[in-house]
Amino acid sequence: MEIIENRASWENQFISWARHAVPVIEGGEVKEAFSTYPFVVNSSTFFQPPRVPLKDARVALISSSGAFVVKNQEPFDSTNPLGDPSFRPVPADTGVGEISFRHEQYKKEYATADPNVVFPLWLLKELAARGEIRELFSPALSFSGYIANPGYFIDTTGAEILEQLRAGDVDCALLVLV
């Protein structure tokens, strides 16, 4: 199954959009630029039932919140008009006060007040401690949800994330889209 159906057609639309939209975004008119964005539309989805019950599962956290560890990671690049497609691994033992968020497309006051709202690392640690999930996969993975080219993200960052999840023998992932 294709992640982006009719990908070549969508990529042509995206390239045409980006040619016109990037100067508009750089001029500060993000809403105007995205009024003609060629959103991906798929007619089918893939469903995979869980391999194991949650109490027996190794669970990964993946979030588009733009979370990063302040002391040793660079913030996401918010100046790129097409977004920053990279990701940041956040070790499970990271303290709640050790992260920040760089994602210019949402207001961060709620995330700052309670990071679990957009990056529920500490809630998942509690679930693991109570035995409601077997284990929390470390590191949690964060990317900035403002990525205009999902095809590029799938081919690069998505492939890297999938490789980490497979190597870590992850049973399921909680994907928190912001």
Side-chain angles (χ1 to χ4, degrees):
M1 178 184 157
E2 293 179 300
I3 295 175
I4 298 175
E5 294 175 6
N6 305 309
R7 182 167 173 168
S9 173
W10 178 85
E11 285 179 344
N12 287 335
Q13 293 173 43
F14 174 78
I15 290 166
S16 176
W17 170 83
R19 218 178 275 124
H20 299 288
V22 167
V24 176
I25 294 168
E26 290 173 335
E29 299 295 329
V30 175
K31 187 174 182 178
E32 180 183 329
F34 276 88
S35 69
T36 58
Y37 180 76
F39 287 97
V40 172
V41 177
N42 288 339
S43 61
S44 62
T45 60
F46 177 76
F47 175 75
Q48 177 71 36
R51 298 185 303 177
V52 297
L54 280 177
K55 67 178 184 56
D56 299 326
R58 186 167 205 213
V59 178
L61 169 60
I62 305 169
S63 172
S64 67
S65 62
F68 66 97
V69 181
V70 175
K71 68 181 175 185
N72 62 6
Q73 294 178 342
E74 291 292 319
F76 291 91
D77 179 6
S78 62
T79 63
N80 185 332
L82 297 178
D84 180 346
S86 64
F87 73 96
R88 306 289 182 272
V90 178
D93 63 355
T94 301
V96 72
E98 297 178 69
I99 68 163
S100 188
F101 300 93
R102 176 69 61 86
H103 182 319
E104 302 308 317
Q105 306 307 317
Y106 75 93
K107 294 182 180 183
K108 277 152 296 303
E109 59 262 11
Y110 298 113
T112 302
D114 181 4
N116 281 303
V117 171
V118 293
F119 194 73
L121 177 66
W122 304 275
L123 290 175
L124 288 170
K125 286 169 58 171
E126 285 180 29
L127 291 175
R130 293 194 315 240
E132 295 181 39
I133 61 173
R134 177 175 56 91
E135 182 180 8
L136 175 60
F137 172 73
S138 184
L141 305 168
S142 175
F143 61 94
S144 175
Y146 175 67
I147 301 168
N149 187 343
Y152 181 79
F153 178 81
I154 290 165
D155 293 343
T156 58
T157 306
E160 290 179 55
I161 289 172
L162 185 57
E163 185 177 308
Q164 283 198 18
L165 298 179
R166 285 182 174 150
D169 199 30
V170 170
D171 296 300
C172 65
L174 173 61
L175 177 59
V176 180
L177 300 174
V178 180

